[in-house]
Amino acid sequence: MDLTTPALLFPAISLLLLAYTNRFLVLAQLIRQLRQMDTEEDHALIARQISMLRKRIVLTKRMQAFGVMSFFVCTVSMFLLFLGTELPGIIAFGTSLVLLSLSLLFSLYEIQISTNAINVELASFEARKRALREDIDQD
C-alpha cells in the first residue's frame, strides 16, 4: 500500500465532519426554538422533543469524535507509510476505516431519531388541525 491510499480518505472525512458540524448547528437552533415555544399547550410536545434532542446531541458528539479520530489515525497511517513502515501504516489505515464506520453508524442512528422527532412534530400539527376543525364544526 502506498501513501496515496489513505490520502483518498481526507476529502471524504473532511466533508463528513462538515456535515456533522451542520447537524450540530441545526440541533442548537432547534433547542433555541423550543425555548421560545414554552407555553402550556406545548409542554407535552416539548418534553418529547427534549428527550430526543438529548440523544441526538450525544450521538452527534460521538459521530464527530469518531470522525476526528478516524481523520487523525488516517494521518498517522500516512506518516507511517511515509516513514516506510508498511505494516503499522496498513494497521493504522484499517483502524481509521473502522473508526469512520463507527462514525457513520452513529450518524445513521441519529438520522433515525431525527426522523422520529419530525414525526412527533407532524402528529402534534395534525392534532391541532383536527381540534381546530372540531371547534369550527361545533360552531
Side-chain angles (χ1 to χ4, degrees), residues 23 26 30 45 48-49 52-53 56 110-126:
R23 291 201 66 81
V26 167
L30 287 172
L45 174 65
R48 290 177 70 188
Q49 292 288 13
M52 285 187 257
L53 286 169
R56 289 178 66 193
E110 193 272 337
I111 289 169
Q112 284 184 307
I113 292 173
S114 174
T115 304
N116 290 341
I118 291 169
N119 286 331
V120 166
E121 280 292 326
L122 288 174
S124 172
F125 180 71
E126 289 169 342

Side-chain angles (χ1 to χ4, degrees), residues 34-87:
L34 278 180
R35 189 171 176 175
Q36 293 171 355
M37 280 179 52
D38 201 15
T39 63
E40 283 296 319
E41 61 210 28
D42 292 326
H43 279 297
L45 174 65
I46 290 172
R48 290 177 70 188
Q49 292 288 13
I50 287 174
S51 149
M52 285 187 257
L53 286 169
R54 286 187 192 280
K55 284 181 188 175
R56 289 178 66 193
I57 288 170
V58 168
L59 289 171
T60 302
K61 185 172 92 173
R62 289 179 183 165
M63 289 163 27
Q64 289 175 324
F66 280 101
V68 168
M69 286 188 293
S70 174
F71 200 40
F72 177 74
V73 176
C74 188
T75 305
V76 169
S77 170
M78 288 177 63
F79 184 69
L80 291 170
L81 291 170
F82 174 75
L83 294 177
T85 55
E86 189 165 344
L87 183 60

